[in-house]
Every structure is written in C-alpha cells, then in structure tokens.
Amino acid sequence: MNLTLFIWRQKGPDEKGRLEQYEAKNISAEMSFLEMLDVVNEGLIKNGKEPVAFDHDCREGICGMCSQVINGVPHGPKEKTTVCQLHMRNFKDGDSIYIEPFRARAFPVIKDLIVDRSALDRVIQSGGYISVHTGGVPDANAILLPKENAGTAMDASECIGCGACVAACPNGSAMLFTAAKVTHLAMLPQGKIEAARRVCVMTDAMMNEGFGNCSNHYECQAVCPKGIKVQFIAKLNREFMKAVIHRKGGF
Amino acid sequence: MILNGKCPAGPLAEKWDRRRNEMKLVSPANKRKYKIIVAGTGLAGASAAATLGELGYNVEAFCYQDSPRRGHSIAAQGGINAAKNYPNDGDSIFRLFYDTIKGGDFRGREANIYRLAVLSNNIIDQCVAQGVPFARDYAGYLENRSFGGVQVSRTFYARGQTGQQLLLGAYGALSRQIKEGTVRLHPRTEMLDLVIIDGEAKGITVRDLVTGKIECYAADAVCLCTGGYANVFHLSTNAMGSNVTAAYRAYKKGAFFANPCFTQIHPTCIPVSGEQQSKLTLMSESLRNDGRVWTPKNKRDRRVPNDIPEAERDYFLERKYPAYGNLAPRDIASRAAKDICDEGRGAGSSGYGVYLDFADAIKRLGENKLRERYGNLFDMYEKITGENAYRQPMRIYPAPHYAMGGLWVDYNLQSNVPGLFVLGEANFSDHGANRLGASALMQGLADGYFIIPYTISDYLAQTAFGKVNEGHPEFRKSREDLETLTKKLLSINGRKTVSEFHRELGRIMWDNVGMERNEESLKKAIALIPGLRTEFWGNVKIPGNGIELNQELEKAGRVADFLEFGELMARDALHRNESCGGHFRTEYQMPDGEARRDDENFCYVAAWEFKGVDKGPELHKEPLVFENVELAVRNYK
Ligand SMILES: Cc1cc2nc3c(=O)[nH]c(=O)nc-3n(C[C@H](O)[C@H](O)[C@H](O)COP(=O)(O)OP(=O)(O)OC[C@H]3O[C@@H](n4cnc5c(N)ncnc54)[C@H](O)[C@@H]3O)c2cc1C
Ligand code: SF4
Ligand code: FES
C-alpha cells in the first residue's frame, strides 16, 4: 500500500517544530508501524536527508520506549497496543497518517518524535519501591499472598512506563502511572509498611514534576497499551486519604 | 597461555563459602571513597549498582536507554529457576547444578554453576521481599512450571512477563539508591571505550546520546553489564539497541573474549514474514509445557493445520525424544525443527515453520486456564501474525536469541584485566555451550546481588582509591580516538545505509555461522566478512553530525563492531572441531544426527586475545576440570 505521512520534525528542544509531508510506498500489511518508518528513513538517508528520530528498543511492546501520537492518539488506533506492535494491516492503501511526539508539559521534546520522560523515573525515585536491603530476607514462602492479591498486584505492575496516559490526558496528569505503582505495592504485605509514606511522597513528586491533576476524563485508560484501569486511581486516592488522615509531621 | 579460573579448592558445596571467607573486606568508612562504574542497567547491572550503592560505594551507572527500566532484560517472558523444591518433585541444588552443566554440554565451569544453583534460592527470596508479584496458588504459596531440558518444575514466573517484573524489582532497588545519592545515573549514554592505566581498568569513555559529547569517567573499578550480542545475526529476539560494542572494545583493549561461537538459537519464535523485518519475536519456551509441536507427515502439505488429520501429523519431538518430548532442550529442539523444514515438511506458506498446537491442552484444561497461564503471549502472537492461537496452532521457527559466549572472567567475575568485572550475559561463564531456559535471569541476578558485592571488595581492598582522574593522558587519548572515529564515520558519505550493511552481515552469519556450521561455511564467512567491512568503511552513508542526537551514528558504531566481531565468531567456530550445544558442526555428528563432542581435544574454554583488526586473534585456553560430574553423552531420549 501507499501512504502519505505528516511527521513532526523538530531539531531540538528550543527550536520550533512543524509537520512535514512524506510518502511511504509499497508498504506490506505484515510490517509493523516502526518498520514502515524504517523504510521511510532509509529512503530519506539515501536522498541525503535527515531521517526521523524516534524512540524504540524492544519492538515487542514491553520496554515502553516507543512513543508516538498517531492520528491524534498516543500509540495509535489499536486498543492495548504499543506503536511497535501496531501493524500496517490496521491501515488502508491511500491513508494519510499524522505522526507526532507525546505532548505534555512534563515531557519536553528532545528531537522529532523523541521526548524526555525522565520525570516518570523521578516519581519512582521518590519512593515507588519497597526499601529492602539485599540479603537477609525470609524464605519466599514465609510471606503468603492470596492469589487474588498477587493477580491485582500483577495487573497493576504491568505498566511499562510509556507515558501515553500523560500524553492523552488534557491535564497532563501522571495519575494512572503513579496509581499503578502505588496499587502494585499496596496489594502486598511487604509493601504495606511504607504505604502511607509512599503515596504521599509520590504524589508530591508528581506535582513537583509539573504533571497536572486528574479530573476524570478516562483518556488515560483508553490509550494505555497495558490495560491499566482507572480503578487504580481510585485506589491511589483512597490510599492518599488514609495516609493524610494519619499523616503526622509530614513525610 | 593457560588461563586460571581461580576456583577455590575443596568440596564443591564449600567452595563459595571458602572464597567468601578468604576475601578481603573494605571498611564501611572507606567504601564511599571508592568509585565503581557500572555500564548497563539490565538485570545484572541494576542489581549490581543497587547493591554496591547500598553497601556504600560511590557508583556511576550508565545505559543507552532513557531509563534503566527499559533494559533488555525487561523482555524475558518465561521465568526464573531456583532449586527450592517447593513442588516436592525431587529437585535439589545438586540437580539444578547437574541439569545446567549437562544442558550446557559440559562446556561450563563446575564451580560457577554450582554457586549459581546455591544462590538461586536467595534470588527468589530477595525478589519476593522487593514485591515481585510471582504467580501464587489459592493457598498463597508460590507456583512453579517447567522449562526445556529438565524433568522437575522449578521455574518461578510472573505471567509471561517475568523479566519485566524482576527488572522492575531491581529498578526499584536502584531508584532507591539514586534517591539516596549513592548511585549517579547516566541514561542515554553509551559506553564506547574502556580505559586501562598501568594494566588496570580505571574508567570508561562515553557518548552522551543527546548532546553527542564524548566524556570520560574515571573509577577504581569497572563492571560491564552490557548484555549479549545475538544481534550480530541482524534478525534476533534481542532489542534493537542490543550490541557487542562495550564488550568488543574492552576486547580490543586487552580483555579476552571467550567462546564467542556459542550462541543460542531459540526454537519457538514467530517465523520471518518479510524482507523489511527488523526483529524476531520470541514465544516463551514455557508454552511447550502445554503446546505440542508437530508438522505434516507429507512433504509440501499446504492444507490449513486444522484440516490435517491426526494420522497425518508428525509430533517429531515426542517421537524422537520420548523422555523429554516437547520439553527437549533448545539446541536439540531447534535443530529438529530445521531438519524437518529442510526436508520440505515445514508448515505455513514459506515452509519455514512448525506448529505449536494447544488444541489438546484446551480440551484438557479449558481455554480459561490457558489464558491465565499464557494470555499475554497469545495476544502478542495475534498482534504480530493476525492469527488466533486458541483456534489454530501457532507457527514457530528457530531464531538467534542468546549469547553463551562473552568476555572471559574468573570465578570472581574478574576479566584478565584487573579491575574489569563482567556480569550477566556479557560474560561467558555459566551456561557452557547451551543455556537452559530460565537460567539467564538467574545468572544476571546472582552476579549482581550476591557475587559482585563480595568479589569486588576483595579487589578494592588491595587497591588505593582515587589513583587516577579524568585528566590522565590515557583518558585524553581515548577521547581523541573516539572523536576521530566519529569524524571518520561521518565523512565517508557513501551510498549504503548502516542497516543495509547490518542485513548483509546478518545473512552471512545466519547462512554460515548459524544453527549448523562446517569448515567450508566458516571459511566462507571468514573470507566474506573482511570484504563487507572494507566496503562499510568506504561506502556507508551516515547523515547529520556528531554533536547532536544522531541515531544513525549510534547504529554505525555498533554495526562496525559487529563487522569485526562476526569474524571472531567464525574463527572460534572453525577451530572447535567438535559439536557441542549450540555449536553444531555438520562434520561432527553421531550416526543418528546428534552432536558429537570431543572431550579429548576440546574440553576447554577458548579465550581470544585481540591482535589487530586484520590479524588473526591469539587463542588462550582454560582447561575445564570436572571433579564432581562425569562427562557423559548428553541424552534426552
Ligand atoms: C525475548 C527474550 C526472552 C527471554 N526470556 C528469558 C526467560 O524467560 N528466562 C531467562 O532466564 N532468560 C530469558 N531471556 C534471556 C535474558 O533475558 C537475558 O539474558 C538477560 O536478561 C540479560 O541481562 P543482562 O543484565 O546481562 O543484559 P541486558 O538486560 O541486555 O542489559 C544490558 C544493559 O546494558 C546497556 N548497554 C548495552 N550496551 C551499552 C553500552 N555500550 N553503553 C551503555 N550501556 C549499554 C543497556 O542499556 C542495558 O541497560 C530472554 C531473552 C530474550 C531476548
Ligand atoms: S499506565 Fe499505561 S499508559 Fe501510563 S505509563 Fe503505564 S503503561 Fe503507559
Ligand atoms: S519499542 Fe519497546 S514497547 Fe515499543
């Protein structure tokens, strides 16, 4: 199939960007969206032009590195699918496709389709873990965990940290991402001890990084490639209320 | 030179404790004065950086992705082994040790493998304490499943995303240290050179991938945790950025490269579909717990699988290996599939595939149970192929997957260059000539959490801290060399893209140094690669410049290294006149087609020393001594 692409080009964080038009020719339905872009890029290189910079690594939907807005939707049109797992059979011959970077105040553009998502790392660094030292821990089966809780923890911890939820949210909120981590750890006995502190410091970190607030648009859930549910945001809010009620002297 | 693996003496079970007791310690007050570089933050690197930071060392960690959470370990699907014997099915530390050594076709080091089996249990405890949500049964206990090459269920898993969950655990521990200030993280930074001063590893030179700046970092010791090199084949199950650069450039600076020809071709990947394909996707081996592998009995049978009656199907693994059946080890299952396809009995329109069929399992367990066990793998398969594997069998074919070879290290994970430690897939040490499933994750974490913290202290305790800084002439030289290299790459301005060269190299490697090799094919590769290399340096086209984010330039450096490294692999494969594990020489096989090992002549680790790009490397040997197991013919029948 043949496609017309409108791709966001931006030299650097301080430069102005704009959409440029490219043609993608003889694209097979088996190709992934990124392989289609590889073909376009090889063509550009051969013609002495600069290829489009975009982030990617695993190309199997698990590293969370790819990040493109396709026709206005982070990760594109297919539900629960990252860009790298989006295949061209989802498009038709002659389609026009708009490709832009994830946009959010907390994600400055680095170049073309690449944005800086390190704010998400800093939210985790603020306390999104269990503070256990290496060695000297009890036998794994000494901490029992109901199957349902393990299941919910796993549902929440499937988040790949891609940031699509932020990009889709009109407020640029990172609530779904943060809620996923808070829920994952709050479901486990070994995570409960620090739960109150964790939810407070992570919420503060989120605000400090310039992420907006949640006002229930549910756009995050709609684009999340891992099917992380907004129910976890409710869980985050409950954990936060609990923590604030008992909060003494701040964390 | 005969290399010494420095394994402690004494009974197998006591070796590690003995070594730990002999090793020198660094006092808590002095630890922060020592600086340690950790290159790579996958499972091996993240666990090492976190643990060393926790102990109080001053750690600088580097990765080429924007976050440690994206390290390639994240992609591991199936699980991680441990000798816990929770299912009470006869497992033990010795059995895990024995399976691993036999699985590796007796080309691994006994003492290392035993230590790995011992530490496996600590790893599961550690990960559970960190909050890794492993699968549980209704009573709240951990669940296990089985992987190829073993007859017990010792694999712990978190759905089909075990690597992701383990890495997130290690990333959490690392994040905690970053917050504490013991670890300084450098994401989007690529290690391009190792700096050796007075014979000791004292730092690295890197490129900041955003600004293009070449910078030096001095330290008292360097840990390389930069993963494997299966991307030398171009199409592989590895991430696009996985490379050999850090290890290869250390090799060029004097570190020995061990057993480079031992690569693993994984039997259950989604077959290639087109010319422009960029990677191959693995379908976890755990699927073979419930899936049955078959092909049509008749040649060129192009009917859809569901129309082929039971009597016309060949369940070839169950037929050839009745004791292990569909769970035969990877090298054996891969070759069996290739043979069938070469015979013309392959499945699918290309004829390069076999079926992995779940119909019986669905009848036995119900679709829901299967969805619970492997749901995300089935979803992934459907996304890529457009086929529903609950309704029709998956199509699978072998693909390059894992590197058993890597930089040579002794029992302390130290290379032949003092102060250079190598962890995880980047070293050669524990898997012999074939890695059994679910043991790479185990090795990465054993190295990072439980081995390096002890062995590095032994080295540092005998080293004065802060011996050199970035002002040393060796650092300046390294930086200038790299700046020259960048300029050279950018100035060629030829006609072919980096990817074209990578595809061509991949073709040479797959055809001649792939699943089966022989003297003729290997000599052919050794003749072809230098030509392609010369063409690369005269005809590659890299747009843009060196002082900005330039992904083509990044790729070019990696492919340039693969173009040299591929030849080293072929040379190693050519000198090893035997078949073992993932190294199958067609000249050396039993009458029934199984691998013929030659313990008389090749029971050693081949460690290569760099002698110049256009000169052959020099071979050093570390004899493998087996005190506790008998070198048996590997039999899975
Ligand atoms: C698809 C797939 C599935 C797998 N499934 C399993 C499984 O179920 N069980 C199992 O045990 N094993 C499995 N494996 C194997 C296992 O995942 C890997 O062997 C293991 O995770 C390697 O870990 P590592 O830390 O050594 O390297 P990696 O995780 O590859 O990490 C390498 C790190 O080095 C960095 N890096 C690389 N080069 C440079 C450089 N030049 N400069 C700076 N940084 C650099 C990267 O950024 C990254 O942080 C699987 C592998 C694949 C590909
Ligand atoms: S919650 Fe979903 S969309 Fe948001 S970062 Fe995680 S995986 Fe991506
Ligand atoms: S490239 Fe890893 S999730 Fe898309």
Side-chain angles (χ1 to χ4, degrees):
Chain A
M1 59 182 114
N2 295 321
L3 306 155
T4 305
L5 309 179
F6 295 91
I7 306 179
W8 186 262
R9 303 304 304 260
Q10 184 171 343
K11 275 221 97 85
D14 306 322
E15 315 266 334
K16 258 185 89 116
R18 65 191 179 287
L19 283 168
E20 281 188 9
Q21 185 176 338
Y22 302 90
E23 305 301 320
K25 295 228 160 71
N26 299 321
I27 300 301
S28 84
E30 260 74 59
M31 272 184 200
S32 73
F33 198 80
L34 299 187
E35 283 163 358
M36 182 275 292
L37 280 182
D38 290 341
V39 171
V40 171
N41 270 346
E42 284 208 55
L44 289 176
I45 297 168
K46 293 210 154 183
N47 286 321
K49 302 215 178 79
E50 268 223 48
V52 180
F54 61 90
D55 260 338
H56 65 103
D57 200 19
C58 72
R59 295 209 174 181
E60 52 184 77
I62 190 76
C63 73
M65 191 96 176
C66 55
S67 58
Q68 301 177 9
V69 176
I70 299 168
N71 291 337
V73 184
H75 289 306
K78 199 157 190 273
E79 256 191 17
K80 292 200 202 162
T81 305
T82 53
V83 180
C84 60
Q85 289 284 285
L86 178 65
H87 282 71
M88 295 313 290
R89 68 177 80 87
N90 296 294
F91 295 88
K92 290 191 311 291
D93 188 33
D95 274 358
S96 288
I97 307 177
Y98 288 80
I99 311 171
E100 295 166 87
F102 278 6
R103 291 190 198 278
R105 186 146 57 99
F107 293 169
V109 173
I110 295 177
K111 185 176 180 178
D112 295 345
L113 304 175
I114 298 182
V115 299
D116 179 355
R117 286 171 286 183
S118 53
L120 295 180
D121 278 322
R122 288 188 293 272
V123 171
I124 297 293
Q125 283 157 19
S126 72
Y129 41 75
I130 291 172
S131 301
V132 55
H133 263 53
T134 306
V137 297
D139 182 85
N141 261 348
I143 310 171
L144 294 183
L145 180 61
K147 189 180 172 73
E148 294 77 15
N149 291 27
T152 309
M154 185 63 210
D155 288 342
S157 66
E158 273 186 37
C159 163
I160 55 174
C162 63
C165 45
V166 178
C169 175
N171 308 324
S173 163
M175 286 286 248
L176 193 64
F177 168 83
T178 308
K181 188 44 68 181
V182 165
T183 306
H184 160 208
L185 297 175
M187 292 315 293
L188 311 169
Q190 60 274 44
K192 287 232 158 69
I193 294 119
E194 293 171 286
R197 179 193 163 80
R198 179 180 308 117
V199 71
C200 292
V201 295
M202 289 183 79
T203 307
D204 287 350
M206 225 163 51
M207 295 305 154
N208 294 339
E209 291 293 342
F211 292 109
N213 240 316
C214 171
S215 51
N216 297 323
H217 289 269
Y218 293 4
E219 293 293 335
C220 51
Q221 174 175 288
V223 300
C224 175
K226 293 293 142 182
I228 306 290
K229 299 235 162 50
V230 287
Q231 278 92 304
F232 295 148
I233 298 186
K235 171 84 179 161
L236 170 80
N237 288 332
R238 278 201 305 280
E239 289 286 318
F240 186 71
M241 291 313 289
K242 255 194 328 205
V244 170
I245 291 166
H246 300 291
R247 193 173 189 171
K248 297 193 199 84
F251 290 111
Chain B
M1 187 201 289
I2 297 294
L3 287 165
N4 180 357
K6 302 212 184 91
C7 300
L12 200 52
E14 289 169 23
K15 283 183 196 284
W16 178 229
D17 281 340
R18 273 195 191 206
R19 176 56 52 87
R20 285 201 297 168
N21 292 334
E22 289 159 17
M23 278 183 305
K24 299 197 170 45
L25 301 174
V26 177
S27 91
N30 279 339
K31 285 199 178 110
R32 66 173 174 279
K33 297 177 187 159
Y34 284 103
K35 191 184 270 190
I36 302 172
I37 282 171
V38 177
T41 53
L43 275 181
S47 58
T51 310
L52 294 171
E54 205 176 273
L55 287 170
Y57 294 107
N58 185 349
V59 179
E60 305 260 1
F62 299 80
C63 65
Y64 68 72
Q65 294 95 347
D66 65 336
S67 163
R69 69 177 296 143
R70 312 204 201 282
H72 180 53
S73 299
I74 199 109
Q77 301 169 350
I80 176 167
N81 285 336
K84 289 263 189 197
N85 195 27
Y86 285 162
N88 192 31
D89 57 1
D91 203 5
S92 64
I93 287 175
F94 188 84
R95 216 181 267 276
L96 172 52
F97 156 73
Y98 187 77
D99 285 344
T100 309
I101 219 164
K102 172 183 170 199
D105 220 349
F106 303 92
R107 289 293 174 265
R109 202 189 272 144
E110 245 190 20
N112 283 58
I113 301 174
Y114 193 86
R115 173 176 64 185
L116 182 64
V118 170
L119 294 177
S120 67
N121 291 341
N122 302 32
I123 295 170
I124 303 302
D125 298 342
Q126 183 64 30
C127 295
V128 166
Q130 282 172 345
V132 171
F134 285 119
R136 301 270 176 165
D137 63 18
Y138 280 105
Y141 293 97
L142 289 149
E143 277 209 279
N144 293 103
R145 64 185 173 201
S146 205
F147 258 59
V150 305
Q151 290 172 315
V152 292
S153 288
R154 63 161 71 104
T155 307
F156 293 77
Y157 63 102
R159 292 196 188 138
Q161 285 121 291
T162 314
Q164 177 194 35
Q165 294 309 315
L166 295 175
L167 185 61
L168 291 181
Y171 162 75
L174 178 63
S175 298
R176 175 167 162 248
Q177 294 309 313
I178 295 171
K179 164 96 171 301
E180 300 277 323
T182 60
V183 178
R184 192 147 69 103
L185 178 72
H186 304 265
R188 291 197 194 271
T189 308
E190 180 163 8
M191 169 178 166
L192 294 179
D193 198 14
L194 175 73
V195 177
I196 298 179
I197 294 169
D198 300 329
E200 292 182 304
K202 287 291 171 219
I204 64 173
T205 312
V206 302
R207 179 169 188 268
D208 178 323
L209 299 181
V210 176
T211 64
K213 243 178 115 185
I214 308 271
E215 288 164 327
C216 296
Y217 291 87
D220 299 294
V222 175
C223 298
L224 277 195
C225 315
T226 47
Y229 52 77
N231 275 359
V232 68
F233 291 102
H234 180 244
L235 285 183
S236 83
T237 62
N238 286 8
M240 299 297 285
S242 296
N243 63 83
V244 76
T245 290
Y248 192 75
R249 300 207 180 164
Y251 162 73
K252 282 177 119 171
K253 284 288 181 82
F256 294 169
F257 215 112
N259 296 340
C261 80
F262 290 172
T263 50
Q264 180 159 80
I265 311 288
H266 196 293
T268 55
C269 302
I270 301 179
V272 179
S273 64
E275 265 302 297
Q276 290 296 335
Q277 196 155 345
S278 57
K279 80 159 276 163
L280 296 171
T281 302
L282 178 81
M283 289 285 106
S284 168
E285 182 173 25
S286 62
L287 290 169
R288 291 196 276 148
N289 271 299
D290 290 308
R292 298 178 70 195
V293 176
W294 64 273
T295 51
K297 277 192 177 153
N298 303 319
K299 284 189 184 172
R300 275 166 278 282
D301 185 339
R302 292 283 177 266
R303 284 176 290 177
V304 294
N306 293 344
D307 288 349
I308 300 178
E310 199 59 29
E312 291 174 42
R313 299 176 176 191
D314 177 11
Y315 293 89
F316 58 93
L317 288 177
E318 295 167 32
R319 171 171 59 80
K320 288 171 87 169
Y321 305 97
Y324 285 75
N326 293 299
L327 285 172
R330 292 177 178 177
D331 53 334
I332 289 180
S334 292
R335 244 175 323 104
K338 179 175 187 285
D339 288 347
I340 295 269
C341 295
D342 290 349
E343 265 175 45
R345 295 202 284 126
S349 55
S350 70
Y352 285 94
V354 298
Y355 292 121
L356 181 60
D357 196 341
F358 295 89
D360 286 351
I362 291 176
K363 251 186 247 143
R364 182 162 41 92
L365 302 164
E367 201 172 306
N368 276 340
K369 187 80 198 167
L370 232 58
R371 205 176 290 279
E372 190 183 295
R373 282 188 190 163
Y374 314 108
N376 73 310
L377 300 174
F378 279 62
D379 291 347
M380 190 149 127
Y381 182 79
E382 183 164 8
K383 262 174 210 154
I384 294 171
T385 61
E387 293 169 11
N388 178 341
Y390 296 103
R391 299 278 153 281
Q392 68 189 86
M394 288 182 178
R395 283 172 302 113
I396 54 166
Y397 196 67
H401 176 59
Y402 180 86
M404 278 80 69
L407 292 182
W408 184 86
V409 291
D410 64 17
Y411 185 74
N412 291 347
L413 305 183
Q414 186 167 221
S415 70
N416 60 306
V417 177
L420 176 65
F421 294 81
V422 191
L423 286 64
E425 196 175 337
N427 74 23
F428 89 99
S429 65
D430 293 8
H431 307 296
N434 172 54
R435 173 177 72 85
L436 289 185
S439 54
L441 300 179
M442 173 170 77
Q443 186 220 338
L445 291 179
D447 288 2
Y449 284 136
F450 299 112
I451 301 174
I452 195 71
Y454 292 95
T455 59
I456 208 168
S457 83
D458 187 52
Y459 170 76
L460 292 173
Q462 303 172 60
T463 314
F465 50 77
K467 261 202 222 159
V468 295
N469 60 32
E470 289 82 1
H472 193 281
E474 280 298 323
F475 279 105
R476 198 171 336 119
K477 180 167 181 309
S478 166
R479 194 170 49 232
E480 284 165 9
D481 287 350
L482 285 173
E483 281 162 357
T484 312
L485 181 76
T486 305
K487 280 206 195 90
K488 190 167 156 202
L489 281 167
L490 289 166
S491 69
I492 299 167
N493 199 18
R495 283 179 312 278
K496 264 162 76 170
T497 63
V498 176
S499 304
E500 284 174 301
F501 283 102
H502 198 177
R503 280 197 287 270
E504 268 179 58
L505 174 68
R507 195 76 252 167
I508 297 176
M509 296 303 290
W510 178 248
D511 289 346
N512 301 295
V513 198
M515 236 187 300
E516 292 186 351
R517 317 88 195 251
N518 52 46
E519 186 178 337
E520 193 192 346
S521 76
L522 292 167
K523 285 190 167 153
K524 189 168 159 200
I526 293 168
L528 287 171
I529 296 169
L532 188 62
R533 198 160 61 220
T534 311
E535 195 199 340
F536 175 89
W537 288 103
N539 196 25
V540 72
K541 188 174 183 79
I542 303 159
N545 61 50
I547 48 163
E548 60 173 11
L549 187 144
N550 186 341
Q551 294 176 314
E552 285 298 304
L553 180 63
E554 292 167 28
K555 252 197 290 186
R558 296 170 194 159
V559 171
D561 289 334
F562 279 137
L563 280 166
E564 292 178 19
F565 175 70
E567 188 180 331
L568 178 66
M569 261 175 84
R571 285 184 187 279
D572 183 41
L574 179 62
H575 107 283
R576 192 170 279 276
N577 290 329
E578 64 164 348
S579 292
C580 57
H583 168 63
F584 192 81
R585 287 275 299 265
T586 53
E587 311 96 308
Y588 305 99
Q589 51 181 303
M590 306 289 201
D592 63 356
E594 301 296 327
R596 203 175 80 220
R597 223 177 47 220
D598 178 355
D599 292 328
E600 192 106 356
N601 295 304
F602 291 97
C603 194
Y604 61 74
V605 177
W608 299 93
E609 181 181 359
F610 181 72
K611 289 283 168 188
V613 176
D614 295 314
K615 290 202 196 78
E618 185 181 338
L619 176 63
H620 303 283
K621 295 178 184 173
E622 180 200 336
L624 288 167
V625 189
F626 293 91
E627 297 167 344
N628 299 278
V629 299
E630 218 163 297
L631 275 87
V633 173
R634 232 166 129 225
N635 182 2
Y636 291 94
K637 289 192 169 161

